[in-house]
Structures are given as C-alpha cells and as structure tokens.
Amino acid sequence: MSDRPIKWDKSYYSFTGFRDPDEDLEHVSKMETTLTSWLGSNGKRAIKKLENSLPLRKELDRLKDELSHQLQLSDIRWQRSWGLAHRCSQLHSLGRLAQQNLETLKNAKGCTVIFTDRSGISAVGHVMLGTMDVHHHWTKLFERLPSYFDLQRRLLLLENQISRLLGDIQVVYIEELQPVLTLDEYYSLLDVFYKRLLKNRVPFHPQSLRGLQMILNSDRYAPSLHELGHFNIPTLCDLANLKWFILTRAQQARENMKRKDELKVIEDELIQASTKKFSLEKFYKEPSVSSKQMVDCCKRLLGQSLPYLQGMHLCVSHFYSVMQDGDLCIPWNWKNGEAIK
C-alpha cells in the first residue's frame, strides 16, 4: 500500500467541520511565532475574510433568532467549528422541517438544540441533531422527546439518590471535561454505580459532603481529585476505599472549588478589558483552554499595543491560524519570541 498521506479536497473540511491543515488552520512554524509579526503578516487576510463573511454572519443570526422564536428554544449551538455557510445550511434544513412538522418540533420547547455528529438527547438534555442524518431521523427524535423528558426526570432522581448515599455530594456532568454521552448512556452509567452503592453500603454522615461535586466515568481506575475541585469517580472503583479517599481530600476539594470561582471572576474581567482595549468585535476561547491559561494570556495581551486587532474576532487557542470566516486564532501561551510548546 502507498504510504503517501491522504490529501482531502477542500470541500471535505468545509462539510465535516474538521480542520484543514493546509488552509483553514494554517499553523505557523516555530521561527514565525512572534505575535506581532504573525498578526502583521496575517491581519489583512483575516480582515478580507471577515468582511466577506459579514452577510453570512447576519444571515446566520437571523435564521437562529427566527428558529429559536418559532420553536421556543433556549439556544442553538454547534459542536464543531463548521463554517458559516454550513451552519446556515443546517439551519435552513431545520427550518424546512419546521414548515413540514411544526407541531412535532414544538416538543423541543425550552430545549437547547446542538448540531453534532449523531442524533439523540445528550446527557444534560440537549437535543442533538446529527448533520449527516436525514429529516426522517430528526423527525423521529422530536416525536420521542416526551419519553426522553421522562427519562431525564428519572435520571435526576437517580443523581439525588446517589448524592444522599454519599453525604449529599452533588453528582454533575461537565460537558467540557467528559466524553459526549447520550441520555440513555449516562443513565446506564449512573444506574450501575447506584446499584453497586446499594449492594456495598458506604457509610457517610448525612450532608457531610454538601457543597462538593463529583462526576462519574466508565474508567476502571482509582478515583481522583480534579484541579477544578470535583471528584472524578470511576463507576467500577473500589467502594471500600472510596470513603477514605473522599474524606481525606474534601478540604482540598473545597479550596480548589474556591480558587476556580475566583479565577472565573478574574477571567471574565480580563476578557471584558481586552475586548474594550483592542476594540474587538468578539473575544472568546476554545473549550480546551483553561481559565488559568486564559487569564495568563489576557494579562500579557493587555500590556501590548496591537492595532491589527481592531474590529476582529479573536479566539484564544493552542496555535496560530486564520479561520475560513476570518476569525484569528492565537495560542494562549504566545510570546514575543517562540510560543511555549
């Protein structure tokens, strides 16, 4: 077999939302990672792409507002970084379905709709529309929403039952940190853990862990404490050692959660200050960039003079790139020399 790398057509990246290493996310070599020089070399190209994208951005906002109002949705989101043209196309597709089956789609009242890789209901109750699925699959999903709402109520009850057995620790699902699970998959995960707790009672004093959080995963490893303050508990962990692990780290968990909340306040203030100083149209970060990294990035940005950023859409990421619709990506750890690898 040939060992030549596969070179996909540009339409592949545009359609799937995957990143195009040749154009959409053009990485800059280590010798070219100076922030000011990179902005100087790519600013005009980004401005041109941004200007060209303005009609599509307005169209996207219009379609999103119309559908959100028509179906009384909480929000419409996208899991991937699809381009504006494809986002508009997906909304047009949902709009046509609404014209054909309005009453069925109104079952999603109050929900968040997410365009993603597969159709279903997410662990937190969002309506996931697979972009490769046909209207028939979407219609069936909207028809089944009432039964999913019932499952969601049972899931919340199950979380509360687990919480009571573990000293009132809060059971949460964190979208940014956990694998994408459907409501059925997450319910099964909780159910397995709950039945194990009932069979092997772990004596916790009532409300002794109130204010703390835990997430469940399907790994077979030992429990751990995340830097953000929540406990990461494997479904099949050794329950005999679980109480000792949680109690000996409870104070550290509370301190971590307090730091997380304080850091989030600082992050929001710095984002606002950066947006104002550089007259940015939009300033955001990728989910993989932590609050700590974002704070560090913003503090150093505020010490710079960067006229190229005026009116731009700036994304803090892990690399330099110009997105297909004109958004600028810079690494959170940019330097006036090389970015830290």
Side-chain angles (χ1 to χ4, degrees):
M1 295 180 62
S2 171
D3 59 358
R4 290 183 303 169
I6 298 174
K7 187 171 181 61
W8 297 99
D9 186 82
K10 298 295 182 185
S11 60
Y12 168 79
Y13 298 103
S14 179
F15 184 74
T16 62
F18 291 118
R19 289 169 175 144
D20 182 352
D22 294 330
E23 179 181 352
D24 293 336
L25 299 180
E26 294 180 352
H27 293 249
V28 180
S29 67
K30 286 188 176 182
M31 296 303 293
E32 300 172 319
T33 52
T34 303
L35 178 63
T36 50
S37 66
W38 186 83
L39 289 174
S41 300
N42 294 273
K44 290 183 179 180
R45 183 163 62 97
I47 290 172
K48 184 177 181 180
K49 286 188 173 186
L50 184 61
E51 290 175 345
N52 292 338
S53 74
L54 291 180
L56 274 178
R57 291 183 188 274
K58 291 181 180 179
E59 174 73 357
L60 182 67
D61 289 341
R62 183 187 67 79
L63 291 170
K64 185 178 177 181
D65 289 343
E66 286 182 359
L67 277 171
S68 295
H69 177 74
Q70 183 182 26
L71 303 179
Q72 295 180 275
L73 302 174
S74 293
D75 195 9
I76 298 177
R77 305 178 193 167
W78 286 264
Q79 188 182 44
R80 292 190 184 278
S81 55
W82 280 292
L84 293 170
H86 276 82
R87 293 191 183 202
C88 287
S89 175
Q90 290 155 4
L91 290 182
H92 277 300
S93 187
L94 182 59
R96 287 192 296 272
L97 185 61
Q99 291 177 348
Q100 300 164 8
N101 299 278
L102 182 58
E103 291 306 311
T104 299
L105 266 64
K106 281 187 175 180
N107 284 336
K109 178 181 177 180
C111 294
T112 292
V113 167
I114 301 181
F115 290 97
T116 181
D117 293 330
R118 57 172 174 167
S119 295
I121 304 299
S122 75
V124 293
H126 298 330
V127 179
M128 301 189 300
L129 299 181
T131 56
M132 300 297 289
D133 292 336
V134 295
H135 277 184
H136 173 73
H137 293 127
W138 288 6
T139 303
K140 288 295 183 183
L141 175 61
F142 282 106
E143 289 174 348
R144 294 176 58 195
L145 283 183
S147 65
Y148 279 117
F149 295 152
D150 179 64
L151 177 61
Q152 190 173 24
R153 286 189 288 269
R154 288 189 284 129
L155 184 147
L156 293 174
L157 178 62
L158 196 54
E159 286 182 334
N160 289 333
Q161 289 172 325
I162 293 173
S163 176
R164 283 197 295 270
L165 290 174
L166 296 178
D168 288 303
I169 191 171
Q170 183 184 11
V171 183
V172 297
Y173 179 89
I174 305 176
E175 292 181 271
E176 296 82 4
L177 300 177
Q178 294 182 252
V180 177
L181 298 177
T182 64
L183 197 65
D184 304 89
E185 292 167 343
Y186 186 46
Y187 184 88
S188 297
L189 197 67
L190 291 169
D191 191 49
V192 168
F193 188 66
Y194 177 61
K195 289 176 179 177
R196 292 190 69 228
L197 284 177
L198 288 179
K199 186 177 180 180
N200 305 276
R201 290 276 181 166
V202 183
F204 279 93
H205 191 277
Q207 301 186 11
S208 60
L209 300 178
R210 182 178 291 275
L212 296 180
Q213 295 180 335
M214 61 165 278
I215 64 173
L216 270 181
N217 61 55
S218 56
D219 294 335
R220 294 178 178 268
Y221 304 110
S224 61
L225 175 61
H226 196 276
E227 64 177 357
L228 297 180
H230 61 265
F231 288 96
N232 193 343
I233 309 298
T235 313
L236 302 178
C237 69
D238 182 358
L239 295 178
N241 294 323
L242 182 61
K243 179 181 179 180
W244 173 86
F245 178 84
I246 293 179
L247 291 181
T248 56
R249 291 165 175 79
Q251 184 57 37
Q252 183 64 53
R254 295 186 192 280
E255 293 173 3
N256 287 4
M257 291 184 71
K258 183 181 179 181
R259 279 201 303 270
K260 176 191 71 174
D261 294 339
E262 293 171 346
L263 200 61
K264 187 67 174 70
V265 172
I266 296 172
E267 179 186 16
D268 291 342
E269 291 175 348
L270 289 172
I271 289 175
Q272 187 176 1
S274 300
T275 302
K276 182 177 180 180
K277 174 176 179 176
F278 301 113
S279 301
L280 292 166
E281 183 67 25
K282 184 179 180 182
F283 186 34
Y284 62 105
K285 68 175 184 177
E286 287 197 340
S288 58
V289 176
S290 69
S291 291
K292 184 178 179 180
Q293 292 170 336
M294 189 65 169
V295 166
D296 179 65
C297 176
C298 290
K299 282 182 177 178
R300 290 182 288 115
L301 278 177
L302 287 169
Q304 302 292 312
S305 176
L306 303 168
Y308 300 105
L309 295 181
Q310 184 174 351
M312 298 303 295
H313 291 231
L314 182 64
C315 174
V316 175
S317 181
H318 297 275
F319 43 77
Y320 288 102
S321 67
V322 177
M323 302 292 281
Q324 62 183 7
D325 295 307
D327 288 36
L328 285 168
C329 285
I330 64 170
W332 69 269
N333 55 351
W334 62 269
K335 296 181 72 175
N336 285 329
E338 291 186 359
I340 305 169
K341 297 298 179 182

